Structures are given as structure tokens and as C-alpha cells.
Amino acid sequence: MSDTTTPTPSLTVSGTPLDFYVSGDELDFKPTLTNANGAVTCTLTTDLPDGLSLNTSTGEITGIPTTVGSYALVLVATDTQTTTRLPFSLQIVAPLTLANTTLVSGEVGIAYTQTLVPTGGLGVLTGSVDSTTCPPGMGGSVDVSGIHISGTPTTAGDYKIKATLSDRTKTLNPVITLVVASELALDVSKAPVLNLFTQPYSFTPTITGGV
């Protein structure tokens, strides 16, 4: 009589993390354990990035990563009969950030151009500037290098320019501050009449406007 005993399937582990995770955001990668025979114990051959932890029963990796980098890892899963491995990588990237939202002051009638350059992020920058919030005579745009504000302002004032900026990690909605000063002016209307026979002579004109 032949032996018809069906072999017990062996433990397998599978799964692929996302292409990238963002530093400071929640990370959750749960491999799939199949055909476990009894309890499973999971370990890693190298340390996880800071902020992450391993569930040694399920192989799930969770937490909030704080260190940017590319990490090559191997998950080792063991049950009562088998040890199997899953090599994988975690790519942790810095989020898109625009630290400075205050522009250098401008002046009425003088050509102006400034660029706000973001840091971090991943992929191509896209976005727009709400032209209705720019000073009269000025406008804005977004390209791969950042947010550009330019033109020749015609009206003094304090302006809050609204923009959007996006990449693969995040969408930002910065409000950009720009102060436009009035034209530089020198008021000599109150200068006393020069009397050649009276000395000394002193007069300080009033200066207004300008940056």
C-alpha cells in the first residue's frame, strides 16, 4: 500500500513596501505569512530606521520614521518547521517644506523678482500662484526650482500672496508675505530761504517711501 500522506506546505513570506515613505508620517508595512505551522517568530537581520518597530509575531513594521535614507532589510520568519526570508527596502524621504514665506520688500515703480526655494520632497514640483493676491503690476509662477514672484509693483501695501506647491510627498498652501513700499520721495517744500548774510544755515529734508 502506497503512502498517500500529503506533504505539509512550508511557511512563506511575501510583500512589497511602497516606493517611498515620508519622514514624519505614519508607516505601515505588513508582509503576508502563508502556511504557518504553529506560532511564527519574525526578526530582522539589521536594525530598523529610527521611529519604527517590528511586530515579532506578524512581521508588521509600523511607526513614524524620523531618519531619511534607503534601508536594505531582510525579514526572517520561523515557524515550527521552516525558516524563510523576505529581502526588501524602505525608502524614507524628507517631506516637501517651504521654511521661508516672507519675501524681501519691494518698492513702487522698481522691477522686482524673488524666488522661494523649497527643500525636501520627491519628484517634479508643480503648483500655481493666485495672481489676484499679488500686488498690482506683479504676478507669480511655479516651476521645478520653486515659487517665483516678479513684476513692477504700482501700489504700496502689505500683501498676502496665496500659492500651492506639490510633489509626490505633499501639497503645501503657503501664504507669502510681501511688503511694497511707496516710491522714495524727498520733501524740500519747507526749506527756509537761504540768506547769504546769515550763517550758519541748516535744513533737513523729509524723506518718505523707499525700502
Side-chain angles (χ1 to χ4, degrees):
M1 184 174 179
S2 61
D3 185 0
T4 59
T5 303
T6 302
T8 302
S10 297
L11 172 67
T12 62
V13 56
S14 60
T16 303
L18 298 178
D19 290 345
F20 67 91
Y21 298 90
V22 180
S23 175
D25 288 353
E26 187 72 33
L27 181 153
D28 189 347
F29 169 50
K30 187 175 183 179
T32 300
L33 301 174
T34 307
N35 300 325
N37 295 289
V40 177
T41 300
C42 297
T43 59
L44 290 164
T45 57
T46 55
D47 291 337
L48 283 167
D50 292 342
L52 299 181
S53 61
L54 171 70
N55 184 316
T56 57
S57 297
T58 64
E60 184 175 15
I61 295 171
T62 58
I64 298 176
T66 59
T67 306
V68 171
S70 182
Y71 301 89
L73 303 166
V74 178
L75 178 69
V76 181
T78 302
D79 64 7
T80 59
Q81 298 182 10
T82 307
T83 295
T84 187
R85 290 170 170 77
L86 175 66
F88 64 97
S89 294
L90 293 179
Q91 180 76 17
I92 312 298
V93 301
L96 180 66
T97 303
L98 188 65
N100 176 38
T101 57
T102 301
L103 291 167
V104 175
S105 296
E107 184 178 332
V108 169
I110 295 179
Y112 180 97
T113 181
Q114 287 287 314
T115 298
L116 293 175
V117 180
T119 58
L122 183 69
V124 177
L125 285 174
T126 60
S128 61
V129 175
D130 183 353
S131 61
T132 64
T133 62
C134 292
M138 301 186 68
S141 63
V142 173
D143 64 17
V144 293
S145 63
I147 301 175
H148 307 279
I149 305 296
S150 61
T152 302
T154 60
T155 306
D158 295 347
Y159 295 90
K160 302 295 184 182
I161 302 171
K162 296 180 180 179
T164 61
L165 191 64
S166 301
D167 71 351
R168 293 182 65 190
T169 68
K170 187 169 288 190
T171 295
L172 303 177
N173 296 288
V175 177
I176 302 163
T177 300
L178 172 59
V179 175
V180 176
S182 57
E183 294 179 273
L184 182 65
L186 186 66
D187 182 6
V188 296
S189 62
K190 297 181 181 180
V193 177
L194 176 62
N195 187 335
L196 296 177
F197 302 101
T198 302
Q199 294 295 333
Y201 178 88
S202 177
F203 168 65
T204 301
T206 301
I207 300 174
T208 58
V211 177

